[in-house]
Amino acid sequence: MEKAEALLKAGNPAAAYTLLEPLDEKYAGDARFDYLLGIAALDSGKADKATLAFERVLAVNPNFAGARLDMARAYFHLGDLARAKTEFETVLQQNPPPAARQTVERYLKAIEERSKIQQTQISGFAEFGFGHDTNVNNSSSATSIAVPALGNIIFTLDPRNVQKKDNYTSYALGADVNHNLGQGFAVSAGASTRYRVNSTEDTFDYNNFEGHGGVSYATQSALFRLGITGERFYLDHAVNRNSTGINGDARYMLNPANVFLAFAQHNRFRFEQSALTINNFDQSLLGGGYLRLFADGAGAITANAFVGTEKADSGRADGNKDITGIRLGGQYRLRDDLDLFASFGFQKGKYDKENVAFQTLREDKQSDGVIGLTWRYDKDWTVRPQILRIRNDSNIEIYGYSRMDYSVTIRRDFK
């Protein structure tokens, strides 16, 4: 305990907690031990653990103002403002020293300000964009192809399945509602729609409507979310596919600069037109990652890796698909109103059924990269110019393609 006290005085609560926590079962009930453990837990970002230790202290000595003050701090960091306020007011009734009184009054003022914030928050956005896409239909540049199953006879591809470039404009609207239930719990729901219009290749105009909802739970150092999604996608003003899914993710903050991530999702994709239903599939993904934040919000980097499967639901020509991939990204603040961002991703897909026409198991390797700027020229307005590149290499030629997309998006946020 003396060593733990020294570590706390030296500003190293994490080391003090590491020292004390293994002895919790042995020394629980010792007021000095419990108080030191509570302080070490609270100051190292484990407010939930701290409340348990402080409860034991106060059970033995209800008039221990220092422990009650720290208990109130722990509730505050957990977001339990009602219990924090009760504990702080109890400390004031015990006529604390001037320094402690000032600390309590600061916390009570912060609780009052937080309480003024609406429990239900509504936000929204509107976007307008324009750009140039070198491959609006994500298709091969080849105009003809040999089919091995037919003795390598050369077939001319339908012009609609050959790479096409065009200029475009895009529009988007969305809104979200978030309701704080207290005790770290919240529920949310939202919806958005996006519409893209090509200048000449209107056959590939598309729009979608999506909705989502979920529940979250947050502690001082962790966040857990579980949600559902749904989307209806239109191509050339006709319904192309529907999708529904469930997803979950977790974030654990080791310290203010280092965050670990984990996520999982499952989605069902169903095509509307009878000629396309053979492509129906279910996709499941599981992954994890790491987020590094730099001081004063100057920048961040993130790295993720994932694995997954696609189960062909209706006899897709290439069968089921195994997926592996990585994604790296980051942003850096060039000045107060301007950020630079970039990301890179790589995904490999291996199918398990021989494609009858091409007499091989299909394998795709897709890479994508984006770089751009975010300019906040007003409080609620941003302008985002960016360059996107996608390349898909496949051992079946008709599935290989490359694409460059140059765009500028203007966004207005509503809160």
Side-chain angles (χ1 to χ4, degrees):
M1 285 186 273
E2 289 178 359
K3 187 174 181 180
E5 280 186 331
L7 289 168
L8 289 170
K9 289 177 181 179
N12 195 347
Y17 182 79
T18 300
L19 176 67
L20 295 172
E21 193 275 334
L23 304 173
D24 187 22
E25 185 175 343
K26 181 177 180 179
Y27 289 103
D30 183 309
R32 182 188 177 199
F33 174 85
D34 288 336
Y35 184 62
L36 290 172
L37 178 63
I39 292 294
L42 178 59
D43 291 345
S44 60
K46 302 175 180 63
D48 53 338
K49 304 290 186 183
T51 59
L52 299 176
F54 291 137
E55 282 176 357
R56 297 200 299 254
V57 176
L58 293 171
V60 175
N61 186 358
N63 296 319
F64 189 168
R68 194 168 295 280
L69 173 58
D70 291 317
M71 172 73 92
R73 289 174 53 218
Y75 283 138
F76 180 85
H77 288 298
L78 287 173
D80 191 343
L81 301 185
R83 295 178 73 176
K85 182 179 180 182
T86 299
E87 296 294 345
F88 281 126
E89 290 175 341
T90 301
V91 173
L92 287 181
Q93 293 170 6
Q94 295 175 331
N95 193 26
R101 178 177 290 274
Q102 290 178 4
T103 298
V104 170
E105 289 174 347
R106 284 199 302 269
Y107 272 102
L108 287 174
K109 184 176 180 180
I111 291 173
E112 182 180 359
E113 291 299 319
R114 285 195 185 186
S115 297
K116 291 179 181 178
I117 300 175
Q118 292 183 348
Q119 291 296 303
T120 301
Q121 297 180 339
I122 301 175
S123 61
F125 73 91
E127 286 185 357
F128 167 74
F130 57 91
H132 176 77
D133 192 334
T134 64
N135 195 343
V136 297
N137 52 340
N138 288 335
S139 294
S140 170
S141 59
T143 58
S144 61
I145 192 167
V147 179
L150 299 177
N152 287 319
I153 294 177
I154 304 297
F155 283 85
T156 300
L157 296 177
D158 187 321
R160 292 174 299 180
N161 296 326
V162 177
Q163 177 178 344
K164 296 182 182 299
K165 60 183 179 180
D166 205 354
N167 299 320
Y168 66 85
T169 55
S170 62
Y171 312 86
L173 291 170
D176 281 280
V177 179
N178 187 79
H179 182 70
N180 184 5
L181 300 174
Q183 305 293 320
F185 288 95
V187 292
S188 62
S192 67
T193 180
R194 294 182 178 273
Y195 185 31
R196 178 162 142 167
V197 183
N198 295 305
S199 297
T200 57
E201 303 293 342
D202 57 0
T203 304
F204 304 103
D205 292 352
Y206 67 80
N207 64 292
N208 78 321
F209 296 93
E210 70 84 24
H212 54 269
V215 60
S216 65
Y217 173 69
T219 68
Q220 186 178 5
S221 58
L223 172 65
F224 305 91
R225 296 183 296 190
L226 182 66
I228 57 173
T229 60
E231 181 191 27
R232 194 166 178 85
F233 181 82
Y234 293 78
L235 182 64
D236 194 21
H237 309 289
V239 180
N240 178 262
R241 70 169 186 265
N242 297 308
S243 66
T244 56
I246 182 170
N247 58 78
D249 67 87
R251 296 188 173 200
Y252 176 73
M253 183 181 293
L254 184 64
N255 53 51
N258 297 280
V259 182
F260 293 99
L261 318 168
F263 56 89
Q265 64 183 52
H266 178 76
N267 293 284
R268 300 173 72 249
F269 293 85
R270 296 295 181 267
F271 292 83
E272 285 286 310
Q273 300 176 32
S274 57
L276 297 177
T277 57
I278 192 173
N279 294 313
N280 291 347
F281 65 93
D282 296 340
Q283 183 188 79
S284 299
L285 294 175
L286 178 67
Y290 168 74
L291 172 66
R292 167 71 177 180
L293 302 170
F294 297 106
D296 302 322
I301 56 173
T302 183
N304 295 286
F306 57 90
V307 296
T309 61
E310 283 184 6
K311 181 180 179 182
D313 180 77
S314 304
R316 185 168 61 181
D318 301 299
N320 301 321
K321 177 182 176 182
D322 289 330
I323 302 169
T324 55
I326 59 170
R327 180 160 295 279
L328 307 173
Q331 67 179 57
Y332 181 74
R333 181 163 295 178
L334 300 174
R335 62 188 195 202
D336 288 344
D337 63 346
L338 187 66
D339 291 346
L340 170 70
F341 66 88
S343 70
F344 168 79
F346 176 80
Q347 178 176 306
K348 184 176 181 179
K350 296 184 67 174
Y351 294 79
D352 69 353
K353 180 180 178 182
E354 183 179 279
N355 187 297
V356 175
F358 295 95
Q359 298 179 340
T360 188
L361 294 174
R362 179 180 165 187
E363 183 173 323
D364 292 353
K365 296 178 181 178
Q366 184 178 99
S367 60
D368 66 84
V370 62
I371 186 169
L373 297 168
T374 300
W375 175 37
R376 296 174 295 278
Y377 72 90
D378 192 65
K379 178 182 178 182
D380 299 315
W381 290 86
T382 55
V383 177
R384 187 179 72 250
Q386 71 172 40
I387 300 173
L388 167 70
R389 182 180 187 274
I390 300 176
R391 180 182 178 89
N392 190 68
D393 293 312
S394 178
N395 61 340
I396 298 180
E397 186 179 4
I398 59 171
Y399 297 118
Y401 67 89
S402 62
R403 173 186 169 202
M404 295 289 293
D405 189 326
Y406 310 87
S407 66
V408 176
T409 302
I410 302 169
R411 178 181 174 114
R412 172 70 159 89
D413 286 291
F414 304 91
K415 297 179 181 178

